[in-house]
Amino acid sequence: MERILCLLHTQSDGTLSQLALETLTVSSTTAAQLPDAVLLVGILGTATQQAATQIGSCGANQFFIAEDPALEKGSYHNDTNAAEAIAKAAQATIIFAPADSRFNRMISGMAIRLNGRADTHAVAVAADNGTLTISRWYYRQRIIAQQTRQQRPWVISIESDTAAPWKGDSKTVDATTVSFAVDANTKVIGTIAPENTVQTIKPDSPLLFVAGAGWCKKQSDGQTHLLEAESLILDFVNRSGASLGSSKSLVDQNSEGEAVLGCLTHMNQVGQTGSTPRHPKGLATCCHGEEPHTVGWRFITQRRAINTDANCGWARGKTDVLYVADAFKVMKILNDLLK
Amino acid sequence: MPTFQIIVCAGIVPEPLQTLEPVENAGKYALKNEAMLPMIIDPWGMHALYEAAHLSKTYPGSKIYLVVAAPKGKLQQVMMTIAQKVPFELIAIDTPAGGFTEAYEVAKALEQAIKSIPALDMSQTLLFGGWESASRCSGATMQMLGEMLGITEQFQGVDTLTVKEDGSFEIMERVEGGLHQKSTFDKLPAVLGWATGDLPEPPNNPQIGMMNMRGIMPSIMKAKKEDLPNEGIELKSCEVPKALRETKIVDNMTEEMIANEIFTWIKKD
Ligand SMILES: Cc1cc2nc3c(=O)[nH]c(=O)nc-3n(C[C@H](O)[C@H](O)[C@H](O)COP(=O)(O)OP(=O)(O)OC[C@H]3O[C@@H](n4cnc5c(N)ncnc54)[C@H](O)[C@@H]3O)c2cc1C
């Protein structure tokens, strides 16, 4: 009999994130599909009772909460202590947790404390014929595998969009409070926006706009046009509400001391050694569309690109539409339309 | 001035322009022609190494150990490209490469290797690695290794480490929405899984290369073999999904027409 623990943390306002609710759907669906499985919920953070009430009607047999001001923001030491205490109190054999930065920091370490194993970044979970199987990507979104595991506890982190967010009535529940040791070595000061990037990275935007190194290259007049490039990019991002991504070549110029666009940092980089954002649409400009870049587009559904080169990487099946054109000219007109 | 013992753990991965295809052999997966693929040090592990080099330069007397679990033959090739960049002592473990190895087993092998470092002072130890490999992409190994070594200060997606005047440390970790989480801590040891950081690639220095090579070859020769059996885990399928789209190449529209078409596309739900 599997004891399935859905391990969550509260956000600073005491609510549960969308990804937390998606993880709850995965957990309750799995509990319903596996014979004799029991659903348990564990919540760490602050205002955990409020969060438990938010999902009180999810059908869990038991709720566990670990609460302390030290858990308001995530740190490895305290999160791991709290999560370990919850998992042990719940005697969990399978633990689902959201793959957000807070839990990505600690769930594999927690698995070691539980003498278990961890598989991270699951994008699908199935429980056919009594066997739990997960799907996850290898080699930066190039190879996908379906896998299962014998060891227990088995800790699995869930990526966003794996399931619909759980919906249901709130209900007061009688949660079991779990105690854990609080440590003061690490102090979390808070979150900080790297200079200039605060408004440019928007995970919830329907559109990703990628700027490539072509924006800083010499154009047909033999000159670079950095100021114009930067203003076209920022105008577009501001007017369209798009999230700003970049190729590696463009952001690398920053650390190598070349002429650069100040609005971009490594945080904007998409691809092999950058991010793999999720947006319904993506528009690439002045970017060649090489494989190490486009692996970061795995979860961009509709894709368009503007490049002066009809033979660039995008032309080889990486985008739905490739406009062979000068992005400087197209973006200027597009920005006027968006005014 | 403090001194540090910086242990950098980094695997090796195929050079990213290579085409990758999984092949099955007796229920286990590997990459087709894996032995022939050109390899590089895992990129985020490489950043960790650059950060270690920077720190040890700033705090003279510090020492860098580079711990690599990889097939012996490949390791020699990869070392050629990094040996000239950063001074380090290599500790090699002869293991299969690849994403389909199990993070727990790799962490165990690394743990044994690190425990064999003579006179390791944990109160001076920084355990560095990439926050995720480019092969398994799990972000699990460093955390597991940290736990196995009893290290409970851990940070992932690190872009900046600052040693403060009072000897404490300040860390910037990547979190959602393009933000950094800033934390401080007082005491080592600590695990840092590095993201890109801020440092450029160090230039080649033949003198460093010569110094490193003296230790690298003996270390590779005596690398302990670990099989990494992937116990308890079964891959039921493993494939390269069909990624190719039918690209429409538009080369006969004016900039106005293109801008209008993109405008309509953006606005459409
Ligand atoms: C280990 C490793 C990891 C890597 N990781 C990443 C990664 O995470 N992300 C990433 O992006 N790359 C990554 N790369 C690099 C990748 O291989 C490419 O070098 C990089 O993506 C190229 O960036 P780019 O397309 O912006 O630049 P370029 O290749 O220089 O292309 C510029 C493009 O701009 C076009 N252009 C110029 N002017 C105009 C104009 N006026 N209008 C329209 N088009 C114009 C040109 O035709 C050209 O196609 C990695 C490489 C390695 C080795």
Side-chain angles (χ1 to χ4, degrees), chain B residues 25-41:
Chain B
N25 184 5
K28 298 232 187 286
Y29 281 92
L31 293 176
K32 193 171 173 186
N33 299 328
E34 188 152 337
M36 312 293 282
L37 290 173
M39 295 277 183
I40 57 169
I41 285 271

Side-chain angles (χ1 to χ4, degrees), chain A residues 212-215 217 219 246-250 269-274 286-290 292-293 306-309 312 325-328, chain B residues 15-17 40 43:
Chain A
W215 283 106
K217 296 245 156 89
Q219 294 300 308
S246 169
S247 69
K248 182 174 190 291
S249 297
L250 188 54
Q269 183 185 321
V270 171
Q272 172 95 16
T273 46
C286 299
C287 167
H288 202 75
E290 279 193 32
H293 175 75
I306 308 172
N307 200 303
T308 41
D309 179 0
C312 67
D326 182 339
F328 278 82
Chain B
E15 198 272 321
L17 287 171
I40 57 169

Side-chain angles (χ1 to χ4, degrees), chain A residues 54-280:
Chain A
Q54 183 189 343
I55 53 170
S57 66
C58 70
N61 282 36
Q62 219 177 330
F63 285 76
F64 299 87
I65 51 178
E67 168 129 5
D68 193 276
L71 296 177
E72 190 193 340
K73 300 194 180 74
S75 71
Y76 182 87
H77 202 149
N78 288 324
D79 280 356
T80 315
N81 284 358
E84 176 192 6
I86 289 176
K88 284 185 172 163
Q91 298 178 312
T93 57
I94 292 171
I95 301 171
F96 289 111
D100 56 18
S101 65
R102 181 164 182 175
F103 277 179
N104 284 346
R105 186 191 292 117
M106 70 87 187
I107 61 141
S108 303
M110 177 193 71
I112 296 299
R113 294 209 189 162
L114 300 174
N115 198 20
R117 300 286 188 276
D119 288 300
T120 55
H121 305 297
V123 291
V125 175
D128 306 329
N129 306 321
T131 306
L132 180 64
T133 313
I134 63 157
S135 303
R136 70 180 302 280
W137 292 93
Y138 287 82
Y139 292 96
R140 300 293 289 161
Q141 292 77 245
R142 287 174 205 222
I143 294 174
I144 190 154
Q146 265 199 328
Q147 60 194 62
T148 186
R149 189 181 266 289
Q150 283 161 6
Q151 293 101 341
R152 298 290 184 272
W154 182 11
V155 182
I156 302 163
S157 72
I158 303 294
E159 277 295 331
S160 60
D161 293 339
T162 302
W166 179 86
K167 272 200 193 107
D169 295 332
S170 58
K171 184 180 156 200
T172 309
V173 294
D174 186 13
T176 307
T177 302
V178 175
S179 59
F180 67 100
V182 176
D183 183 89
N185 189 8
T186 295
K187 294 174 195 65
V188 183
I189 312 295
T191 46
I192 296 176
E195 241 173 86
N196 298 326
T197 58
V198 63
Q199 285 99 2
T200 64
I201 299 173
K202 300 171 200 153
D204 297 329
S205 171
L207 180 65
L208 170 73
F209 177 76
V210 159
W215 283 106
C216 293
K217 296 245 156 89
K218 285 185 181 157
Q219 294 300 308
S220 49
D221 59 359
Q223 309 289 320
T224 59
H225 297 269
L226 298 186
L227 288 179
E228 188 188 350
E230 182 144 32
S231 96
L232 284 172
I233 292 167
L234 286 180
D235 280 352
F236 178 74
V237 167
N238 291 335
R239 289 176 195 178
S240 66
S243 185
L244 179 57
S246 169
S247 69
K248 182 174 190 291
S249 297
L250 188 54
V251 287
D252 274 357
Q253 292 173 1
N254 242 338
S255 43
E256 280 155 19
E258 288 178 46
V260 285
L261 302 182
C263 58
L264 292 162
T265 74
H266 277 116
M267 302 284 273
N268 297 92
Q269 183 185 321
V270 171
Q272 172 95 16
T273 46
S275 62
T276 311
R278 288 163 192 262
H279 301 273

Side-chain angles (χ1 to χ4, degrees), chain A residues 73-77 80 99-113 115-121 131 133 136-151 183-194 197-198 201 203 207 236 240 255-256 266-267 269 272-274 281-283 290-292 298 300-304 306 310 314-326 329-330 333-334 337-338, chain B residues 13-22 31 34 43-44 47 97-104 131-141 143-148 151-156 159 172-189 196-201 231-251 253 255-256 258-269:
Chain A
K73 300 194 180 74
S75 71
Y76 182 87
H77 202 149
T80 315
D100 56 18
S101 65
R102 181 164 182 175
F103 277 179
N104 284 346
R105 186 191 292 117
M106 70 87 187
I107 61 141
S108 303
M110 177 193 71
I112 296 299
R113 294 209 189 162
N115 198 20
R117 300 286 188 276
D119 288 300
T120 55
H121 305 297
T131 306
T133 313
R136 70 180 302 280
W137 292 93
Y138 287 82
Y139 292 96
R140 300 293 289 161
Q141 292 77 245
R142 287 174 205 222
I143 294 174
I144 190 154
Q146 265 199 328
Q147 60 194 62
T148 186
R149 189 181 266 289
Q150 283 161 6
Q151 293 101 341
D183 183 89
N185 189 8
T186 295
K187 294 174 195 65
V188 183
I189 312 295
T191 46
I192 296 176
T197 58
V198 63
I201 299 173
L207 180 65
F236 178 74
S240 66
S255 43
E256 280 155 19
H266 277 116
M267 302 284 273
Q269 183 185 321
Q272 172 95 16
T273 46
K281 294 175 191 172
L283 176 63
E290 279 193 32
E291 183 70 10
R298 175 68 70 193
I300 307 294
T301 319
Q302 297 179 38
R303 307 179 188 176
R304 298 195 178 196
I306 308 172
W314 296 107
R316 290 189 285 278
K318 311 251 176 190
T319 180
D320 304 316
V321 184
L322 168 64
Y323 298 103
V324 183
D326 182 339
K329 293 186 181 150
V330 175
I333 304 168
L334 185 53
L337 291 170
L338 285 165
Chain B
V13 297
E15 198 272 321
L17 287 171
Q18 300 300 314
T19 303
L20 306 180
E21 204 185 309
L31 293 176
E34 188 152 337
W44 276 312
H47 285 293
F100 305 118
T101 53
E102 154 77 313
Y104 173 84
W131 69 324
E132 214 179 270
S133 71
S135 50
R136 195 181 313 108
C137 307
S138 70
T141 314
Q143 285 170 37
M144 292 180 165
L145 174 60
E147 277 294 327
M148 288 168 185
I151 306 178
T152 48
E153 254 38 69
Q154 297 203 18
F155 305 89
Q156 296 294 333
D159 272 328
M172 296 283 202
E173 282 170 291
R174 291 187 182 186
V175 295
E176 281 76 17
L179 301 175
H180 277 126
Q181 176 166 300
K182 181 168 157 181
S183 310
T184 60
F185 67 100
D186 297 326
K187 289 185 300 253
L188 294 179
T196 311
D198 306 308
L199 300 176
E201 189 172 328
E231 216 174 287
I233 185 165
E234 185 193 343
L235 267 61
K236 291 183 166 293
S237 73
C238 192
E239 58 190 23
V240 178
K242 185 182 165 295
L244 286 191
R245 291 161 186 250
E246 296 217 352
T247 303
K248 181 173 143 199
I249 300 179
V250 177
D251 56 5
M253 276 166 71
E255 285 96 11
E256 280 82 7
I258 294 172
N260 272 301
E261 189 168 296
I262 294 175
F263 179 77
T264 312
W265 172 66
I266 291 173
K267 291 287 169 196
K268 205 167 60 191
D269 279 339

